[in-house]
Amino acid sequence: MPLGSVETKLSGQRLGAPDTLGISTLDPGHRPPTMPPGRHVTIRVRMLDDTEEVFDISQKASGKVLFDLVCSHMNLIEGDYFGLEFQNHQKMMVWLDHIKPIIKQLRRPKHTILRFAVKFFPPDHAQLLEELTRYLFALQIKQDLSCGRLTCNDSSAALMVSHIIQSEIGDFEESQCRSHLLNNNYIPDQMPLIDKIMEFHSKNIGHTPAESDFQLLEVARCLEMYGIRLHPAKDREGTVLSLAVAHTGVLVFQGHTKINAFNWSKVRKLSFKRKRFLIKLRPDLNSSYQDTLEFLMASRDCCKVFWKICVEYHAFFRLFEEPKPKPKPVLFTRGSSFRFSGRTQKQVIDYVRESDFKKIPFERKHSRVQHNSHFQLLMRSASNHLHGGESRVWRVVDYCCQRRTQIFATPCSLPHLSASSGHSHGMVNGQKSLELCSHSPNGRQPSPLTSPLLNDAGSVRTDDEDEVRRKRFPTDRAYFIAKELLTTERTYLKDLEVITSFQSAVGHDEATPDSLKNAILSTFEPLHKFHTGFLREVEQRLALWEGRSNAHIKGDYQRIGDVMLKNLQGLKPLTVNLHKQSEILLELEKACRASHKLEGLCRDFELQKVCYIPLNVFILRPLHRLIHYKQILERLCKHYLATHVDFRDCRAALADVSEVVEQLQGNLIKMENFQKLLELKKDLIGVDNLVVPGREFIRLGCLSKLSGKGLQQRMFFLFSDVILYTSRGMTATNQFKVHGQLPLHGMTIRVSEDEWGVPHAFTLVGQHQSVVVAASSLTEMEKWMEDLKMAIEMAKTSNGPSYDLLTSNETDNSLVEAESEDDMTPSHTSLEKPALHRGNTMVHVCWHRNTSVSMVDFSIAVENQLSGNLLRKFKNSNGWQKLWVVFTNFSLFFYKSHQDDYPLASLPLLGYSVTIPSESENIHKDYVFKLHFKSHIYYFRTESEYSFERYGSGISPSCPSGLFDFLFYTYLGHLYMCPCTFGAF
């Protein structure tokens, strides 16, 4: 390439780059960047709120040092979307280069005013996780509207202005609104639109400033000129045009009308030679375009400025990591050495999600509305002060993690179904989220585990008490197996009470059919009564076994088989009612479709604290409980010798329960599938006929879909006949919008990593449409491909459903194909107050943590439900706190005691690894397992070897067979070799 020409390739490796040289914004809590020696100069920066700030900086400092100072001044975490621009000596607006020293960029620093502005406009403002970031974006939109850069029709302009004034003056009051509009100009020709603006403003009542920012961005991002900066050019025929760059690629405008677009996936290379800007396209037999397009710009410097912007946009939105720096030539340079410096968008999102830092409020310079962020922060600080705990606001965790990783690095990764996530309302089932962030414009909730009851400062030290207890009580393995029966029976009885409470809640309402009332009453009331007596007998037997009388000396009560045999025989007549579980689910679904009132009652009940998992799961609990009885008896029979006094009763009880389980197994599989379809139906928008006979749910989870915008996170749902792809908007309902469907009949799959240059990519080739997707890891890719191949084979021979799942307004193929362009358009009901919706379902957990879960995972999870007391310790705390813990649906739910009616907090385990502590962690206790996810670490102590094994294997069912046993016995072997090092439980 001749001297003076510059080019950049837009394909190749996206992973494997070295670690970034530094983050683009100042880490919260860190010191400001080190200032290099040299003469200092004062630099003025004009902020987006039109204020000016002065920064004292060394002339030898790089542009990044100055930019980090600006971000630190504002406490801006997502600063990578922004930049500092200034007018150079050629009167051109350029961005401050982060790598070059200040002295080489600003000729007269004292007389130059830099402007802090948005540099990268993402396709979806839901990707902006900080309220401050969205506020700054809103200020940028306000500026672009005012100067005429963001052109649009009158309705859109009026709607955006209405959101701006809602954030500035609050709710609509006619005289105040009119006066404000007369004194403030937001768009070039505002007077004719004042009435229309006021009409829109009157519909914004109740919106907070943060919600108004969100709605403003919701409208703005759908406009063609959103984030566009035009660069004058001409084509080969001399036609006056403008070039622009966006997250999708390079755009061509004539006036303010986009006439062409070259997506990054189609562009092979960008370069410039003097005044000519060149776009080299990938070969396309179906296209009439030339291989290389040429545009003439005003000067070489104009070409270079635009080329730099293209390089940065491509790197920021398309690459996974900061590009590797080019080695410096030894003799002479050829072309430009410019490269993008800083974090990519993916790195920004990952960094913010995994960070754990304090939220500092900011001041809205233009708003008269009382902002509740200050109030929330003060309340949280006061609460932490009163309880002696350090203020700890849990940030969004990084959900882009692998469920399985290398055995010894992160030995066991945990699948997960549900979690307590607040989302737009900050509460789910009446309890706050632990780690799933609320994407509400109002901010996020702190962790319930830092509450007075559950945080480390308020924990109860129980070491001495439990050591004495351990020495006094039995240590036989059979005792701990029987104790598992006791603890899980307590939880099961509480779950039955949830259904009886539901029956009471809807039973007196005329919207509930009598047949449904009778079915619930006749099924669950007898079960509740029976298990109340069963639990009482188990408690009495365990009390005797633990030595609270001298009966244990004779050995008469050191057994449980006789109690189980007696009660399982008494339970047999009630198992007839268990066949009604399917009828109850069907009847409830049918009744909710027929009555919106009953549907609302059910939804309201699900949002109560006692209903900590989906309501339909409680209905299936009696079927699941029989499986638990069978497993407990199998463990006892395996433990006992044939001569043991308890063996015969345990074997007889096992035969009885196995017979019942076998009879109900087929019905249980159908009901679990039906329950999952009903649950998914609540999470989806734009789909009909999801719950139909013959359709089986197979897997759901996140894949990145390749479109004109690049790789975008999508939630995929694989069924036995079709695969759907969806996206999640920031709506109050937390539902997923369906964008397309691919029938499995006739589908093929091919690996596409080399074809697209994207790791873990594969193509779903349908009869009428093909979709390129990428998994988050090789393991995820293999799981998806395995299940897809199985489902495709099933579809070849199946006579199952072939319904069109999309609703009427989504079935147009052109709309489905255009999904990458308008997938997040605002809902027509965005101004309404929609009903609350569960935000802790398996779909939302998989979405946030960028992973997948299969139906097989859920079936295995049913067998691994546990309850009991555990001691918990945080990473940096000294004492242990005793909690009642319920493990179900891949979550740990925490209670103060087993008598509590609802959990106080929960810990979703998707992405967590379970290992044993290393010696360097100084956990000098027996039977401790460690749960860790990135920087989040928890230690849990069980009371026995059996409990340690059960929790370890129970919460890691996806680990390779025998792995936790290996870790377990390695751990115990170390304990037995070094007994003096470890204390008692």
Side-chain angles (χ1 to χ4, degrees):
M1 184 175 66
L3 292 175
S5 76
V6 187
E7 66 176 24
T8 180
K9 278 196 168 185
L10 300 185
S11 63
Q13 284 298 107
R14 301 190 180 192
L15 288 176
D19 290 339
T20 177
L21 298 177
I23 62 171
S24 298
T25 56
L26 188 66
D27 280 356
H30 289 196
R31 294 180 178 178
T34 304
M35 195 69 63
R39 188 166 65 90
H40 280 225
V41 65
T42 300
I43 295 180
R44 290 183 294 165
V45 177
R46 181 168 296 159
M47 302 300 192
L48 282 165
D49 59 4
D50 293 329
T51 61
E52 282 192 9
E53 301 292 342
V54 178
F55 297 90
D56 187 62
I57 192 169
S58 170
Q59 285 188 332
K60 294 182 180 180
S62 66
K64 181 180 182 300
V65 173
L66 174 60
F67 183 73
D68 283 348
L69 283 175
V70 175
C71 292
S72 175
H73 172 74
M74 293 187 291
N75 192 48
L76 177 60
I77 308 305
E78 298 173 292
D80 304 76
Y81 290 100
F82 302 85
L84 296 172
E85 61 178 354
F86 63 96
Q87 192 176 58
N88 64 9
H89 64 283
Q90 296 172 321
K91 305 299 181 182
M92 297 173 57
M93 294 301 296
V94 296
W95 293 104
L96 187 72
D97 193 317
H98 283 194
I99 298 178
K100 288 184 179 180
I102 297 289
I103 194 172
K104 291 189 177 182
Q105 301 186 67
L106 306 180
R107 284 194 174 182
R108 304 175 65 190
K110 293 182 180 180
H111 304 285
T112 302
I113 298 179
L114 287 84
R115 283 179 25 186
F116 181 82
V118 176
K119 187 175 185 180
F120 301 113
F121 290 81
D124 177 13
H125 54 282
Q127 295 170 330
L128 306 175
L129 303 180
E130 285 284 301
E131 180 186 333
L132 172 58
T133 313
R134 291 191 292 268
Y135 168 62
L136 294 174
F137 265 74
L139 291 180
Q140 183 69 67
I141 297 304
K142 180 181 173 183
Q143 283 189 6
D144 292 349
L145 271 176
S146 178
C147 70
R149 178 185 291 164
L150 181 57
T151 58
C152 57
N153 59 42
D154 290 348
S155 294
S156 296
L159 182 58
M160 285 190 286
V161 173
S162 74
H163 291 307
I164 293 173
I165 62 176
Q166 173 69 23
S167 69
E168 293 185 359
I169 66 174
D171 289 343
F172 176 76
E173 197 282 316
E174 185 173 359
S175 60
Q176 181 193 27
C177 180
R178 186 177 298 276
S179 175
H180 184 79
L181 288 172
L182 291 174
N183 294 318
N184 295 272
N185 204 46
Y186 295 100
I187 49 179
D189 192 15
Q190 181 172 294
M191 286 300 295
L193 296 179
I194 285 183
D195 290 338
K196 199 171 191 68
I197 294 171
M198 293 175 62
E199 179 186 352
F200 283 128
H201 185 201
S202 66
K203 299 178 181 179
N204 296 338
I205 293 176
H207 287 193
T208 65
E211 290 170 334
S212 298
D213 292 344
F214 186 85
Q215 294 296 336
L216 172 63
L217 297 176
E218 184 82 357
V219 178
R221 70 183 182 84
C222 300
L223 302 177
E224 193 165 69
M225 296 300 294
Y226 172 67
I228 295 301
R229 297 196 177 196
L230 300 176
H231 297 256
K234 294 181 181 179
D235 61 12
R236 288 182 176 178
E237 286 73 34
T239 305
V240 176
L241 304 169
S242 294
L243 298 180
V245 62
H247 61 275
T248 55
V250 181
L251 312 177
V252 183
F253 283 82
Q254 194 163 30
H256 287 89
T257 303
K258 183 171 68 175
I259 62 173
N260 215 334
F262 303 102
N263 288 340
W264 296 125
S265 58
K266 298 177 182 178
V267 177
R268 181 181 178 186
K269 184 169 61 178
L270 294 177
S271 62
F272 68 93
K273 295 181 180 180
R274 297 181 179 88
K275 294 183 179 182
R276 292 181 298 155
F277 184 81
L278 306 173
I279 304 175
K280 189 169 186 179
L281 302 175
R282 297 182 184 276
D284 188 353
L285 299 178
N286 299 322
S287 174
S288 60
Y289 292 130
Q290 304 164 352
D291 179 55
T292 303
L293 301 175
E294 182 178 310
F295 297 89
L296 190 66
M297 305 190 80
S299 65
R300 179 187 182 278
D301 289 332
C302 291
C303 267
K304 186 172 183 179
V305 167
F306 182 63
W307 173 80
K308 283 185 175 182
I309 297 173
C310 291
V311 170
E312 292 184 311
Y313 252 84
H314 173 266
F316 185 75
F317 287 109
R318 293 280 287 182
L319 301 187
F320 289 170
E321 295 186 2
E322 179 182 2
K324 186 184 300 184
K326 297 179 182 178
K328 293 183 178 180
V330 179
L331 298 177
F332 57 88
T333 61
R334 169 172 286 186
S336 173
S337 61
F338 175 79
R339 68 177 179 88
F340 172 75
S341 171
R343 293 179 298 193
T344 65
Q345 186 190 31
K346 181 183 183 302
Q347 288 177 309
V348 176
I349 294 174
D350 291 349
Y351 168 73
V352 176
R353 284 177 173 172
E354 70 182 10
S355 298
D356 186 8
F357 52 83
K358 294 181 181 180
K359 174 70 176 174
I360 299 177
F362 62 92
E363 181 182 357
R364 293 171 175 264
K365 296 290 179 69
H366 299 278
S367 180
R368 305 177 195 169
V369 184
Q370 179 67 31
H371 188 221
N372 56 9
S373 291
H374 295 74
F375 176 76
Q376 292 171 355
L377 184 85
L378 289 172
M379 290 301 292
R380 296 178 196 175
S381 300
S383 175
N384 282 282
H385 175 73
L386 286 173
H387 300 292
E390 180 183 358
S391 177
R392 187 192 309 175
V393 180
W394 284 71
R395 303 297 302 166
V396 186
V397 293
D398 179 4
Y399 299 106
C400 304
C401 59
Q402 300 179 359
R403 187 177 67 165
R404 302 174 191 167
T405 49
Q406 294 181 354
I407 288 178
F408 292 104
T410 50
C412 308
S413 297
L414 312 178
H416 176 66
L417 167 60
S418 69
S420 301
S421 173
H423 295 282
S424 60
H425 295 278
M427 299 286 288
V428 172
N429 296 351
Q431 61 194 75
K432 296 181 180 178
S433 166
L434 172 61
E435 287 198 359
L436 292 185
C437 167
S438 164
H439 284 284
S440 162
N442 290 329
R444 53 194 57 78
Q445 298 292 338
S447 167
L449 291 185
T450 60
S451 66
L453 172 66
L454 297 178
N455 68 1
D456 179 59
S459 62
V460 179
R461 309 297 192 252
T462 59
D463 295 11
D464 295 338
E465 171 192 341
D466 285 294
E467 184 174 356
V468 172
R469 185 180 185 280
R470 184 185 176 194
K471 291 177 179 177
R472 189 182 70 210
F473 287 170
T475 57
D476 180 35
R477 184 178 180 88
Y479 163 77
F480 292 109
I481 298 174
K483 190 169 183 180
E484 180 183 333
L485 171 66
L486 169 65
T487 55
T488 53
E489 189 71 12
R490 284 172 173 167
T491 297
Y492 174 55
L493 192 62
K494 287 287 185 181
D495 289 348
L496 289 178
E497 290 172 1
V498 173
I499 299 299
T500 56
S501 298
F502 171 71
Q503 195 274 336
S504 300
V506 302
H508 301 293
D509 195 279
E510 57 183 12
T512 308
D514 292 337
S515 57
L516 177 61
K517 298 177 187 177
N518 295 333
I520 296 176
L521 188 64
S522 62
T523 301
F524 289 96
E525 283 289 348
L527 283 174
H528 183 267
K529 181 178 180 181
F530 172 84
H531 285 281
T532 300
F534 180 32
L535 175 61
R536 188 182 307 113
E537 290 188 37
V538 174
E539 287 176 333
Q540 291 171 352
R541 176 57 57 87
L542 265 292
L544 294 172
W545 199 336
E546 289 172 352
R548 298 176 192 174
S549 75
N550 61 359
H552 72 284
I553 298 175
K554 303 176 184 179
D556 295 340
Y557 297 105
Q558 292 183 348
R559 55 185 177 138
I560 197 67
D562 58 331
V563 176
M564 293 196 71
L565 178 61
K566 170 193 168 185
N567 282 276
L568 286 175
Q569 289 175 344
L571 183 63
K572 265 190 174 182
L574 297 179
T575 58
V576 178
N577 289 336
L578 297 185
H579 290 283
K580 294 182 180 179
Q581 310 297 102
S582 57
E583 298 176 16
I584 293 174
L585 284 179
L586 289 168
E587 184 77 14
L588 182 59
E589 169 66 11
K590 181 180 177 181
C592 287
R593 286 202 310 266
S595 171
H596 291 297
K597 184 178 181 181
L598 179 59
E599 183 182 21
L601 290 173
C602 293
R603 183 174 58 246
D604 292 342
F605 184 82
E606 277 201 319
L607 292 171
Q608 292 183 19
K609 296 178 181 180
V610 294
C611 195
Y612 59 99
I613 54 178
L615 176 63
N616 287 341
V617 177
F618 287 104
I619 295 178
L620 297 182
R621 279 291 197 245
L623 295 172
H624 295 158
R625 190 57 180 157
L626 292 174
I627 297 176
H628 300 157
Y629 292 148
K630 180 174 180 286
Q631 290 178 324
I632 288 171
L633 288 165
E634 286 173 342
R635 294 189 194 103
L636 285 168
C637 290
K638 185 178 179 181
H639 169 69
Y640 286 138
L641 297 175
T643 56
H644 194 280
V645 65
D646 205 25
F647 177 76
R648 181 176 297 180
D649 287 338
C650 286
R651 187 172 61 178
L654 177 59
D656 285 344
V657 75
S658 296
E659 179 184 354
V660 177
V661 168
E662 185 177 354
Q663 293 173 357
L664 296 174
Q665 188 64 39
N667 189 49
L668 175 60
I669 293 173
K670 292 179 181 178
M671 286 302 96
E672 286 181 337
N673 180 72
F674 181 56
Q675 184 269 321
K676 286 294 175 290
L677 292 177
L678 292 177
E679 188 176 333
L680 294 179
K681 180 183 176 183
K682 297 178 182 179
D683 283 309
L684 295 174
I685 296 176
V687 62
D688 282 338
N689 304 317
L690 181 65
V691 185
V692 294
R695 173 168 292 129
E696 295 181 26
F697 162 67
I698 298 176
R699 179 177 291 277
L700 67 85
C702 280
L703 293 169
S704 296
K705 179 177 176 289
L706 188 62
S707 66
K709 294 181 178 181
L711 288 173
Q712 293 182 303
Q713 183 179 346
R714 293 288 179 263
M715 178 65 72
F716 281 74
F717 298 83
L718 176 61
F719 302 98
S720 55
D721 61 323
V722 67
I723 184 169
L724 305 177
Y725 54 94
T726 70
S727 66
R728 177 180 176 272
M730 289 185 61
T731 61
T733 59
N734 291 312
Q735 291 169 291
F736 288 78
K737 180 181 178 182
V738 179
H739 291 297
Q741 60 180 346
L742 292 173
L744 297 185
H745 186 73
M747 178 183 288
T748 58
I749 309 172
R750 69 169 185 265
V751 178
S752 309
E753 292 192 27
D754 296 335
E755 180 181 356
W756 294 99
V758 178
H760 319 310
F762 56 97
T763 304
L764 307 178
V765 184
Q767 293 182 336
H768 304 291
Q769 182 186 0
S770 296
V771 174
V772 180
V773 296
S776 60
S777 66
L778 178 60
T779 303
E780 279 291 303
M781 175 183 172
E782 291 172 345
K783 289 190 293 185
W784 272 106
M785 293 189 68
E786 180 182 350
D787 284 351
L788 279 162
K789 290 176 181 177
M790 176 194 69
I792 291 171
E793 288 299 316
M794 291 171 56
K796 289 180 180 179
T797 58
S798 174
N799 295 322
S802 58
Y803 304 102
D804 186 2
L805 285 176
L806 301 188
T807 52
S808 57
N809 63 339
E810 294 284 350
T811 54
D812 182 19
N813 288 333
S814 63
L815 180 60
V816 174
E817 293 298 326
E819 172 258 328
S820 64
E821 297 297 328
D822 62 359
D823 56 351
M824 301 294 287
T825 51
S827 169
H828 294 295
T829 60
S830 60
L831 297 179
E832 299 175 3
K833 298 292 183 183
L836 293 172
H837 181 75
R838 289 184 57 89
N840 63 344
T841 62
M842 57 183 174
V843 186
H844 293 85
V845 177
C846 288
W847 171 262
H848 286 300
R849 299 208 176 174
N850 195 16
T851 188
S852 66
V853 175
S854 71
M855 192 63 205
V856 175
D857 295 327
F858 291 112
S859 298
I860 295 174
V862 167
E863 303 174 3
N864 289 299
Q865 298 178 16
L866 289 166
S867 305
N869 287 310
L870 287 178
L871 298 182
R872 187 190 61 189
K873 177 183 179 299
F874 293 112
K875 179 180 178 181
N876 298 317
S877 62
N878 296 320
W880 296 81
Q881 51 187 143
K882 189 174 183 178
L883 297 169
W884 177 263
V885 178
V886 174
F887 172 66
T888 184
N889 287 24
F890 307 113
S891 264
L892 291 176
F893 295 91
F894 299 102
Y895 302 72
K896 188 176 180 181
S897 70
H898 69 84
Q899 289 97 344
D900 292 351
D901 291 328
Y902 54 84
L904 300 168
S906 65
L907 176 63
L909 297 181
L910 180 64
Y912 272 81
S913 299
V914 54
T915 58
I916 55 177
S918 63
E919 289 189 33
S920 62
E921 293 173 274
N922 296 317
I923 306 296
H924 304 310
K925 298 293 180 181
D926 293 350
Y927 313 128
V928 177
F929 63 91
K930 178 172 108 176
L931 291 176
H932 54 100
F933 173 75
K934 294 190 178 294
S935 61
H936 305 288
I937 298 177
Y938 305 96
Y939 302 97
F940 291 91
R941 289 169 57 193
T942 63
E943 64 177 342
S944 68
E945 175 183 325
Y946 171 78
S947 303
F948 175 72
E949 180 184 353
R950 284 289 292 126
Y951 274 98
S953 59
I955 62 179
S956 55
S958 62
C959 287
S961 177
L963 173 59
F964 190 83
D965 290 339
F966 168 76
L967 293 172
F968 170 67
Y969 288 115
T970 301
Y971 180 50
L972 288 184
H974 182 74
L975 291 180
Y976 296 148
M977 287 186 292
C978 309
C980 60
T981 309
F982 293 84
F985 174 77

